[in-house]
Amino acid sequence: MRLTVIGTGYLGATHAACMAELGHDVLGVDVEPDKAAALQAGQVPFYEPGLAEMLARNVANGRLRFTTSYEEAAEFGEVHFSCVGTPQRPDGMGADLRYVDAVIESLAPHLRRPTLVVGKSTVPVGTAARLAARLAELAPVGAQAELAWNPEFLREGIAVQDTLRPDRLVFGIGPGAPAAERLLREVYASLLEADVPLVITDLPTAELVKSAANAFLATKISFINAMAEVCEATGADVAQLSASLSYDTRIGGRFLHAGVGFGGGCLPKDIRAFRTRAEELGVGQALSFLREVDAINLRRRERVLTLADELCAGELTGRRIAVWGAAFKPDSDDIRDSPALDIAQQLHRRGATVSVYDPKAVDNARKKHPELDYAVGALDAARGADLILHLTEWPEFRALDPRAVAEVVAHARIIDGRNILDAEGWRAAGWTYRALGRP
């Protein structure tokens, strides 16, 4: 099929490359000429395992190209995927929908034949119905423009796998869209033939699937971090508590891992937007618990700062502190709402000299936080350190020999903000080891 993907950020670039990999002819659309030109040259402006190779391969074989022209996109595509961002509003907690609206405003007037516009962005429930009405209003007579919603469920670090082998597909089909299901089935034919589960539903349910999924995940993470707070007050071990809970099949062990909490460009802003939308709908009490989920998550960052202050004898000014990690999660260079960088910045504000190392995210971190120092390796960051903070769980950090690290630091003290290092091994090597929710 001939598909367009409008918006070539993290979601759009991944979706475009993967749709081309499935055999479709794909035109990526972005309003930023430099971004479109870089992608056309086979260059991905962010790190995602496997994506750069796939994108370059499909640009080279002609199945994927990029443009800045909505007019060209309207002429080219049978199905148009809207993959633009929905960041948090600068004046509140709700979602900023200006980019989603701009797709319809820019594309619809150029449509000249029957076509399907498919939203993939995470939006407040009710957005799709409003966009469908606007699409019908702006599209020329005879264009027969339909709108559907196909939420994305990408996880950074395994986004290619999540697109090519998803755990489910959701098609939100509104009234007056008779061709939408057929076209979406054609787009995803190879995945459906591979028995990927499919849910066909209405527009509001499809919008809620992603919001509800993120709310549940954030709640599970904050639940175990709340238990870490209780463990710290009682001397219990949250790692053993989590392991015990994970054997209960009703609970499971995935994402039941205490640490410094979640960040990134999705969970924090999405749970805030979900709560805001519920309040607008008059059902704010139903999601009031998300306020505490958010608060628990942010308290974990403050707890790391408190531990750092304790280990530095109540004086952070002048201390040299190494921070291992800048990305919000491993296998990514995404620093949006990164707990690691937030903590590093707070330490800097309190007078510490902070040296940050991350395998992929140093360049992005340096652009946003030039006031911090940056190292070329984990040992380089640790050289002369009074304290090390392990804040992003890259495998590289787990593989380090604590004895080798001890040779370069000023004081052998470490806070494991991800509860993933070998506590006994580090202590046996002479380290003062502290972690969240553990004695």
Side-chain angles (χ1 to χ4, degrees):
M1 299 182 71
R2 292 163 67 90
L3 313 178
T4 75
V5 176
I6 302 171
T8 59
Y10 180 82
L11 167 60
T14 303
H15 191 66
C18 288
M19 291 301 99
E21 187 74 8
L22 292 177
H24 300 298
D25 291 322
V26 182
L27 180 64
V29 184
D30 204 287
V31 296
E32 296 183 24
D34 290 346
K35 184 185 292 184
L39 289 165
Q40 186 62 48
Q43 301 168 3
V44 178
F46 53 87
Y47 176 72
E48 176 64 34
L51 179 60
E53 298 83 356
M54 178 184 294
L55 183 137
R57 179 170 63 248
N58 283 285
V59 168
N61 65 29
R63 283 204 296 263
L64 176 60
R65 61 188 181 88
F66 296 87
T67 185
T68 59
S69 171
Y70 273 97
E71 188 172 2
E72 182 182 1
E75 178 64 27
F76 176 88
E78 303 169 70
V79 178
H80 305 277
F81 285 96
S82 174
C83 296
V84 295
T86 53
Q88 185 171 316
R89 289 174 57 90
D91 59 350
M93 294 292 186
D96 186 344
L97 298 177
R98 75 180 81 175
Y99 307 110
V100 173
D101 290 339
V103 169
I104 301 300
E105 300 289 332
S106 301
L107 177 68
H110 298 295
L111 298 174
R112 295 291 182 267
R113 55 194 169 96
T115 191
L116 175 64
V117 178
V118 184
K120 291 195 70 68
S121 308
T122 304
V123 295
V125 61
T127 301
R130 178 175 62 79
L131 294 177
R134 186 61 173 157
L135 179 64
E137 179 184 344
L138 292 177
V141 176
Q144 298 178 39
E146 300 180 12
L147 184 133
W149 217 260
N150 170 220
E152 58 88 9
F153 302 103
L154 302 189
R155 295 167 291 176
E156 294 194 35
I158 52 172
V160 170
Q161 174 183 318
D162 283 344
T163 305
L164 297 178
R165 294 183 296 277
D167 51 18
R168 81 284 209 193
L169 290 167
V170 176
F171 298 167
I173 311 295
E181 181 182 340
R182 174 182 60 81
L183 288 169
L184 283 171
R185 283 183 177 274
E186 289 185 38
V187 170
Y188 293 112
S190 60
L191 303 185
L192 296 173
E193 289 169 2
D195 294 326
V196 171
L198 170 63
V199 177
I200 299 174
T201 186
D202 52 67
L203 290 176
T205 303
E207 292 170 302
L208 281 172
V209 169
K210 181 61 186 292
S211 296
N214 279 354
F216 188 90
L217 176 58
T219 301
K220 190 170 185 181
I221 295 170
S222 282
F223 168 81
I224 197 61
N225 282 330
M227 293 304 99
E229 293 187 18
V230 177
C231 286
E232 288 170 358
T234 60
D237 188 325
V238 74
Q240 294 177 6
L241 175 62
S242 176
S244 300
L245 291 172
S246 69
Y247 287 105
D248 189 326
T249 56
R250 299 168 300 174
I251 299 172
R254 297 193 66 191
F255 301 101
L256 200 69
H257 190 84
V260 74
F262 56 80
C266 290
L267 285 189
K269 61 99 174 174
D270 285 349
I271 64 171
R272 294 163 191 160
F274 196 17
R275 194 178 77 236
T276 299
R277 182 57 176 150
E279 291 169 353
E280 293 171 351
L281 293 169
V283 290
Q285 282 189 322
L287 297 185
S288 61
F289 69 93
L290 289 179
R291 189 183 303 276
E292 184 58 24
V293 166
D294 199 5
I296 292 167
N297 187 57
L298 295 176
R299 282 203 301 272
R300 293 289 79 194
R301 304 180 188 188
E302 189 61 38
R303 177 57 179 157
V304 171
L305 294 169
T306 299
L307 282 176
D309 188 66
E310 289 178 7
L311 289 177
C312 290
E315 183 55 71
L316 289 171
T317 301
R319 301 289 189 176
R320 181 171 177 81
I321 298 178
V323 172
W324 286 348
F328 86 94
K329 66 177 292 186
D331 291 320
S332 173
D333 64 354
D334 192 343
I335 62 167
R336 290 176 294 176
D337 200 7
S338 164
L341 274 184
D342 185 18
I343 291 167
Q345 186 185 37
Q346 292 294 329
L347 290 167
H348 172 78
R349 289 176 177 172
R350 298 181 190 192
T353 298
V354 183
S355 182
V356 178
Y357 169 68
D358 187 282
K360 294 294 180 182
V362 164
D363 289 344
N364 288 341
R366 184 183 283 113
K367 291 174 186 175
K368 186 171 182 181
H369 295 291
E371 71 278 8
L372 303 175
D373 295 334
Y374 294 93
V376 297
L379 289 180
D380 183 44
R383 200 170 307 280
D386 297 300
L387 174 65
I388 295 175
L389 306 185
H390 170 239
L391 299 180
T392 308
E393 62 271 36
W394 286 92
E396 174 181 333
F397 301 143
R398 272 202 309 277
L400 289 168
D401 181 350
R403 290 179 174 80
V405 182
E407 292 178 359
V408 303
V409 297
H411 297 93
R413 300 182 288 220
I414 188 166
I415 297 173
D416 182 8
R418 292 297 180 179
N419 266 322
I420 209 164
L421 301 178
D422 177 5
E424 292 184 5
W426 282 80
R427 284 172 175 150
W431 286 78
T432 298
Y433 172 95
R434 296 292 298 275
L436 301 179
R438 305 182 71 181

